[in-house]
Amino acid sequence: MTIAIYPGSFDPITNGHIDILKSGAEIFDKVIIAVSYNVNKKGFLPVDVRTNLIREAVKDIPNIEVDSFEGLTVEYAKKRGASVLLRGLRTSFDFEYEMQLSQTNQALYDKIKTVFLITKPEYNFISSSCVREILVNKGDIKSFVPEVVYRYLTQNY
Ligand code: ADP
């Protein structure tokens, strides 16, 4: 059984993330989407809100689990018995950063492999930071995030 971890901030989760997650769930036996956090760094949404929104957005897909973790991704992967890290690629800028991250993770734990999936063109420009920026400036984020995230953000912010 191949378990993949899809780590990230997901602050908030976007349609681009969901696309990578669903594709991952078609490839691997189980995908654990894991919200990484640092208690000393305050995010935009609290971690439990982020995980609950993700849970609601993917509740119909049985081989996806939603969790959160603090600390090194490879230590979390070891603990969960995962052999794959799943990451999404949008642009060559993502590639530069992701290659370095992947090589660092492999240097820390050589049994872990990073698998990259390329986003669909329609999600290429979507990022959590641009969703947050549009939201605080009262723009429309409807087409960028899952319905449940849209409802939560427009009711609470
Ligand atoms: P991090 O804080 O680790 O950068 P993010 O939550 O921003 O985490 O993203 C997690 C993963 O999802 C990263 O691999 C990132 O490249 C990928 N990703 C982010 N936005 C998109 C998108 N629109 N399409 C595909 N992959 C994406």
Side-chain angles (χ1 to χ4, degrees):
M1 170 149 166
T2 307
I3 301 176
I5 307 279
Y6 182 28
S9 315
F10 307 110
D11 193 18
I13 191 147
T14 68
N15 288 337
H17 293 130
I18 295 282
D19 175 49
I20 300 294
L21 181 59
K22 285 185 173 167
S23 301
E26 288 171 16
I27 300 169
F28 303 108
D29 297 308
K30 180 174 176 174
V31 179
I32 303 170
I33 174 166
V35 175
S36 62
Y37 66 91
N38 177 340
V39 280
N40 299 314
K41 276 196 205 153
K42 202 174 165 290
F44 174 64
L45 296 175
V47 174
D48 62 326
V49 170
R50 286 185 237 169
T51 52
N52 286 338
L53 290 174
I54 300 171
R55 223 166 258 131
E56 185 61 27
V58 296
K59 63 172 189 268
D60 297 332
I61 307 171
N63 63 334
I64 294 178
E65 183 187 322
V66 186
D67 195 10
S68 60
F69 71 100
E70 199 189 6
L72 292 177
T73 306
V74 290
E75 292 305 324
Y76 177 73
K78 265 185 215 168
K79 198 175 93 187
R80 299 304 313 265
S83 54
V84 171
L85 296 178
L86 175 65
R87 297 285 287 178
L89 287 179
R90 286 162 294 187
T91 60
S92 54
F93 294 110
D94 275 351
F95 177 77
E96 293 294 327
Y97 169 72
E98 293 288 344
M99 186 174 75
Q100 197 182 18
L101 193 61
S102 163
Q103 288 169 340
T104 307
N105 284 328
Q106 196 149 35
L108 289 171
Y109 179 39
D110 65 358
K111 288 195 172 58
I112 204 86
K113 308 277 180 260
T114 307
V115 171
F116 298 102
L117 294 179
I118 291 180
T119 191
K120 292 200 180 77
E122 61 264 40
Y123 303 132
N124 216 32
F125 61 91
I126 303 177
S127 66
S128 299
S129 58
C130 90
V131 166
R132 295 194 298 268
E133 195 63 28
I134 296 168
L135 185 74
V136 297
N137 288 292
K138 301 190 171 47
D140 187 5
I141 56 162
K142 197 171 176 44
S143 58
F144 302 154
V145 293
E147 179 63 29
V148 60
V149 176
Y150 176 72
R151 263 188 279 120
Y152 178 86
L153 292 176
T154 49
Q155 279 163 17
N156 293 280
Y157 290 89

